[in-house]
Amino acid sequence: MSRTFSFEFFPPKTPEGQEKLRITRDVLAQLKPKFFSVTFGAGGSTRDRTLETVLEIQQSGFDAAPHLSCVGSSPDNIRAILQQYKDNGIHHLVALRGDLPSGMGSEIGSFRYANELVEFIRKETGDWFNIEIAAYPEYHPQAKSPADDLDNFVRKAKAGANSAITQYFYNADAYFRFVAAAQARGVTIPIVPGIMPITNTTQLLRFSDACGAEVPRWIRLKLASFGDDMASIRAFGLDVVTGLCQHLLEQGAPGLHFYTLNQAVATRTIWERLGL
Ligand code: FAD
């Protein structure tokens, strides 16, 4: 099976951000990824910007996969978004539950979990979309238990997903164990590791706290020891993440999905060092 490499963007908010993303996209396009994906803000807050960003990528000749989160949405709402993507020739989606912005706890809407969204997309649109789902090798922060989270992942995969992308992690064992456990439960779709380059200590620790990804003690301590020395942070981050990617690929990971944060340099450097 050929390996799948993909890059994730978020939809920029300003004209400057849009221009910067075009440059990033042009740099990363030279690496010929399978697709670019574009995130979707909680509660649909970026709906138009996600579509706009995706269409621009598509017009540049690449497969573009919008993320779609369902929490807080009605079936009509999701149906309209799916139709808009179909009308624009989009065949690829990353289907998610998403998280409600704080203070909206009572507005869950009709979809409680991502497996319900996957089922809905299949029911409404058949095989039109190639559906990616999220996976959590270190377990989702709200999971009742690892076993329960695995059950939920298996249910979501079997609801009609084509492929999964993981939350980022720096413990390769967690990934391989998760994949083995899912496969033992009959999951056959590729589970592609999500890769977060390390370029900024504060940002990394903030994201990781929020999404439940563990930054191992030795990495945290090394990063802290560099203080504001950004060059050392970046050099160390490149070494660590390139090593992780190399190990994942050597041990059979079916590709890599880079959380680029709309920056090209770290992803491109890791890519070149991997000799891809
Ligand atoms: P689910 O698969 O629904 O799981 C959420 C939680 O509910 C888990 O704890 C699970 O164990 C539990 N659960 C699942 N199904 C059931 C069930 N049937 N019964 C009981 N419990 C259940 N967020 C955004 O807002 N926009 C994005 O663009 C975005 N992109 C992402 C891309 C990737 C690759 C990843 C890994 C995450 C992304 N996220 C995004 C974050 C994601 O929305 C959050 O992690 C969210 O909390 C969970 O979404 P999910 O689709 O994994 O949820």
Side-chain angles (χ1 to χ4, degrees):
M1 194 176 34
S2 69
R3 297 186 299 198
T4 301
F5 297 95
S6 50
F7 301 135
E8 181 172 310
F9 296 144
F10 59 84
K13 283 200 180 101
T14 60
E16 296 76 45
Q18 280 174 340
E19 199 38 49
K20 208 177 136 243
L21 181 57
R22 277 179 205 122
I23 296 168
T24 297
R25 190 193 67 212
D26 288 347
V27 171
L28 294 179
Q30 292 164 13
L31 311 180
K32 303 205 171 11
K34 180 91 182 295
F35 65 93
F36 290 99
S37 81
V38 181
T39 61
F40 190 81
S45 56
T46 66
R47 175 178 164 169
D48 293 339
R49 284 188 284 124
T50 298
L51 176 67
E52 217 177 289
T53 310
V54 153
L55 292 182
E56 242 197 82
I57 295 170
Q58 198 193 31
Q59 277 151 17
S60 72
F62 282 86
D63 179 11
H67 295 207
L68 175 59
S69 67
C70 59
V71 68
S73 293
S74 68
D76 280 349
N77 206 229
I78 298 289
R79 193 176 286 121
I81 296 175
L82 294 174
Q83 191 59 47
Q84 202 174 25
Y85 288 143
K86 279 185 80 172
D87 291 345
N88 283 287
I90 301 285
H91 281 275
H92 203 158
L93 285 175
V94 182
L96 302 146
R97 182 194 70 176
D99 294 303
L100 278 179
S102 52
M104 281 180 63
S106 58
E107 296 173 39
I108 285 180
S110 309
F111 298 93
R112 288 167 311 157
Y113 299 108
N115 66 294
E116 297 168 6
L117 176 63
V118 175
E119 278 164 26
F120 183 80
I121 298 170
R122 284 286 174 243
K123 182 163 69 69
E124 293 279 321
T125 64
D127 288 334
W128 178 273
F129 290 105
N130 183 340
I131 304 178
E132 312 271 345
I133 52 172
Y136 300 85
E138 296 178 330
Y139 305 109
H140 186 266
Q142 291 155 8
K144 279 198 216 127
S145 66
D148 200 60
D149 209 27
L150 181 67
D151 285 348
N152 293 330
F153 175 74
V154 171
R155 184 185 307 113
K156 179 166 68 170
K158 292 185 177 175
N162 298 94
S163 184
I165 300 169
T166 76
Q167 184 56 275
Y168 69 88
F169 56 85
Y170 299 101
N171 298 301
D173 284 351
Y175 167 77
F176 289 116
R177 283 176 179 271
F178 182 85
V179 171
Q183 288 174 344
R185 297 282 302 277
V187 171
T188 55
I189 61 172
I191 301 175
V192 175
I195 303 297
M196 178 69 88
I198 299 175
T199 55
N200 179 312
T201 308
T202 315
Q203 190 187 47
L204 178 73
L205 297 180
R206 184 162 44 85
F207 284 172
S208 304
D209 276 351
C211 73
E214 191 198 23
V215 181
R217 175 183 160 84
W218 69 275
I219 296 182
R220 271 190 291 122
L221 289 178
K222 284 284 277 188
L223 289 172
S225 75
F226 297 131
D228 291 334
D229 175 359
M230 298 309 276
S232 297
I233 292 170
R234 280 195 286 266
F236 172 72
L238 284 172
D239 280 351
V240 169
V241 178
T242 306
L244 172 69
C245 293
Q246 200 156 15
H247 178 58
L248 290 167
L249 293 174
E250 279 167 8
Q251 298 300 311
L256 300 170
H257 176 83
F258 286 88
Y259 295 105
T260 70
L261 304 179
N262 294 6
Q263 311 279 338
V265 176
T267 298
R268 190 185 58 184
T269 310
I270 294 166
W271 185 281
E272 284 165 356
R273 287 199 190 176
L274 289 169
L276 291 171

